[in-house]
Amino acid sequence: MRLLLVEDERRLGNLLHASLHEAGFVTDRALDLADARDLARRERFDALLVDRGLPDGDGLELVHELRAAGNAVPVLVLTARDGVPDRVAGLENGADDYLVKPFAIEELIARVRAVLRRPGGALGQELRAGDITYDAIERVVIIGDRNLVLPRHELAALECLMRRLGRVVTRETLIDALYGRDGEPASNAVPVHIHNLRKKLQEAGAQASIITLRGLGYMLQAEPP
C-alpha cells in the first residue's frame, strides 16, 4: 500500500512516516499544497493523509480539487481544528474520514485501513495468482493451504506483482512500491528481493512464477491448473 502524507510539521511527519512504515505502508511525503498537488497528479496512491493547516493553504483545497477531477482516492484529513463546522467542511469537501490531533498512532493506522477496506478501496479484496492468495488486510500469504511468511520488502514486491498479474512490472514501479519516492535502495536491491521471493515461491511449490524480462522488468505468471 502506497500512501501520500501531506504534513508540514517535520517532527510529527517523521513520527507518522516511521509508524506507517512499521505497519507495512510505503509513505511518500509532501510539506505543502504545491508539492502535494504535483505528486497526486503524477503518482498513484492508495490513500492520502492530509493536514489542513499547510504553509500555502488549506489541505481541503487539495481534497476538493481531487474530487472535482473525479479522483476517488481515499482521503483521511488530519487536523487540530476540532469544531463541528470544521469536521463538516472536511466531509463535505470529499474527505472519507477526519481525525483530530492529537491522536493515537494505533487509531490512525486503524482508520487508514478502514478507508482502504471500503468499496473500491485497495484493501477490499483478496489477490490471487495460481494457488497463491494474498490477504491485503491481514498481510498474509497462503500457498495452497500453508502460510508463507515473507519479509516486508518481499511482501510488497509480491503484492505489486499480483496486482499486475500477467503484465510487465518495471524496476521503477517496484522501487516506488517498496520504497516510495524518498527511498534510496541499493542499486541491486530489487533484483535481490525478486531473487529471494522467486526462490521462496519455488520452494513452497507455488503454481505461479516470476519471469525476468531483461531490459523491461518482471512479470508474475500463473501456471495453468
Side-chain angles (χ1 to χ4, degrees), residues 73 80 199:
V73 61
K199 182 178 179 182

Side-chain angles (χ1 to χ4, degrees), residues 1 44-47 71-74 96 113-125 163:
M1 298 292 101
R44 192 194 76 82
F45 296 98
D46 296 300
N71 190 330
V73 61
D96 295 271
R113 287 178 171 152
V115 298
L116 289 171
R117 281 196 298 265
R118 292 176 183 174
L123 292 182
Q125 60 181 356
R163 289 187 181 279

Side-chain angles (χ1 to χ4, degrees), residues 10-208:
R10 291 184 182 273
R11 181 176 296 179
L12 176 60
N14 290 339
L15 172 62
L16 296 180
H17 184 272
S19 299
L20 291 164
H21 175 87
E22 184 67 23
F25 295 103
V26 173
T27 307
D28 290 342
R29 296 173 62 180
L31 299 178
D32 54 35
L33 272 177
D35 193 22
R37 284 188 177 109
D38 181 59
L39 280 169
R41 182 178 65 253
R42 292 189 295 104
E43 307 287 346
R44 192 194 76 82
F45 296 98
D46 296 300
L48 273 59
L49 284 65
V50 182
D51 184 32
R52 288 197 61 177
L54 298 168
D56 53 350
D58 188 332
L60 288 186
E61 296 176 33
L62 174 63
V63 183
H64 180 77
E65 292 164 7
L66 289 171
R67 298 305 185 238
N71 190 330
V73 61
V75 177
L76 175 59
V77 171
L78 312 176
T79 180
R81 305 178 188 182
D82 61 352
V84 172
D86 296 308
R87 296 197 296 272
V88 170
L91 297 172
E92 287 188 342
N93 275 277
D96 295 271
D97 202 353
Y98 195 100
L99 187 57
V100 176
K101 301 175 182 178
F103 48 77
I105 296 297
E106 295 82 0
E107 181 179 6
L108 170 65
I109 292 171
R111 285 177 180 257
V112 170
R113 287 178 171 152
V115 298
L116 289 171
R117 281 196 298 265
R118 292 176 183 174
L123 292 182
Q125 60 181 356
E126 285 186 337
L127 303 178
R128 296 181 182 276
D131 62 347
I132 305 173
T133 301
Y134 174 62
D135 184 331
I137 298 174
E138 300 297 335
R139 298 179 61 77
V140 171
V141 177
I142 299 175
I143 297 180
D145 58 358
R146 295 179 298 167
N147 284 14
L148 178 64
V149 179
L150 296 173
R152 185 175 60 84
H153 284 130
E154 291 173 29
L155 188 64
L158 178 61
E159 178 175 348
C160 185
L161 290 166
M162 290 185 73
R163 289 187 181 279
R164 297 163 179 81
L165 181 64
R167 291 182 286 159
V168 176
V169 180
T170 65
R171 176 179 177 275
E172 290 72 23
T173 298
L174 282 164
I175 288 175
D176 284 344
L178 273 62
Y179 300 98
R181 69 163 184 160
D182 298 323
E184 296 183 2
S187 60
N188 67 336
V190 169
V192 168
H193 292 314
I194 293 296
H195 171 79
N196 293 336
L197 176 59
R198 179 188 286 123
K199 182 178 179 182
K200 290 173 184 177
L201 293 180
Q202 291 173 343
E203 290 174 347
Q207 295 174 358

